[in-house]
Amino acid sequence: MTAGKDYGMLERFYPDEYVDSAYGIDYEKLYRDGWRGIIFDIDNTLVPHGAPADRRSIALIKRLQKTGFRVMMLSNNKEPRVKPFCDTVGTPYLYKANKPFPGSYRKAMERMGTTEKTTLFIGDQLFTDIWGAKRTGIRTFLVRPIHPKEEIQIVLKRFLEKIVLYFYEKERGKR
């Protein structure tokens, strides 16, 4: 690499795919391509932060399960937030997941009966969701946050994410 173009330190945070929404992904194609498990983050990935499951999230999970996917929710939130959402959409979950550490990602795959080669992760945060999944060897999809209202610690992380995403898009010729 030439001087000034070494983004290597940032690459560990780069998603495999960067998409507008979890609701716009061609899941049926992914299934045809051999993917069998999907681990989702909840807040700002499927619904606004702290919101209950809605018709759209319920319909997506039912569609994925009908397609044949195993689906699991992985959240750093506490059980009182995660359980009602997952009970409504009909998925198993792990709460207080300690993302970005790989342990809970591995536990989710174990529970779904999938491997790194057949599991996708979909989330809205680079430094927890995406980095943790990448550290585990899982293909990642970063989605744009559903709603701008977030807790202060997430707002601070978003500022740093913008820097990483600038270089990510620059490398891919999108800037």
Side-chain angles (χ1 to χ4, degrees):
M1 282 193 157
T2 60
K5 282 206 74 153
D6 184 7
Y7 310 122
M9 190 174 89
L10 299 179
E11 286 177 358
R12 74 185 75 190
F13 303 111
Y14 290 178
D16 295 307
E17 306 283 338
Y18 184 25
V19 298
D20 284 335
S21 168
Y23 297 98
I25 297 169
D26 186 348
Y27 294 104
E28 289 73 16
K29 180 184 183 318
L30 290 166
Y31 192 84
R32 288 192 303 273
D33 290 347
W35 300 97
R36 293 299 179 260
I38 303 175
I39 304 169
F40 281 99
D41 174 58
I42 298 170
D43 286 321
N44 257 339
T45 298
L46 293 171
V47 294
H49 187 83
D54 57 14
R55 278 184 280 165
R56 190 165 74 149
S57 58
I58 295 165
L60 175 62
I61 301 306
K62 285 189 186 335
R63 174 180 141 211
L64 295 174
Q65 291 168 334
K66 186 177 177 195
T67 300
F69 279 108
R70 299 289 203 126
V71 180
M72 183 97 180
M73 299 296 156
L74 191 63
S75 176
N76 281 350
N77 242 312
K78 296 177 182 159
E79 193 171 25
R81 161 65 183 131
V82 179
K83 183 181 184 339
F85 180 91
C86 294
D87 287 350
T88 302
V89 299
T91 62
Y93 60 90
L94 292 169
Y95 64 96
K96 290 175 71 175
N98 210 17
K99 295 180 285 183
F101 297 101
S104 54
Y105 294 85
R106 290 191 187 107
K107 187 185 275 187
M109 287 187 289
E110 184 180 307
R111 287 181 58 187
M112 291 190 300
T114 61
T115 68
E116 295 88 349
K117 303 290 181 223
T118 61
T119 305
L120 305 166
F121 182 88
I122 301 169
D124 70 300
Q125 291 189 51
L126 284 178
F127 303 126
T128 51
D129 297 331
I130 301 304
W131 188 34
K134 286 184 64 112
R135 291 172 72 188
T136 313
I138 300 171
R139 182 176 174 193
T140 61
F141 284 76
L142 176 68
V143 301
R144 295 186 194 285
I146 288 176
H147 195 275
K149 183 181 180 292
E150 297 182 297
E151 296 172 340
I152 187 65
Q153 71 272 16
I154 296 171
V155 171
L156 297 172
K157 283 193 275 184
R158 294 283 186 217
F159 176 76
L160 297 173
E161 284 182 358
K162 284 181 183 172
I163 296 167
V164 174
L165 289 171
Y166 170 84
F167 289 105
Y168 168 82
E169 290 180 332
K170 187 172 180 174
E171 272 191 27
R172 282 155 180 76
K174 296 181 179 178
R175 284 209 180 258

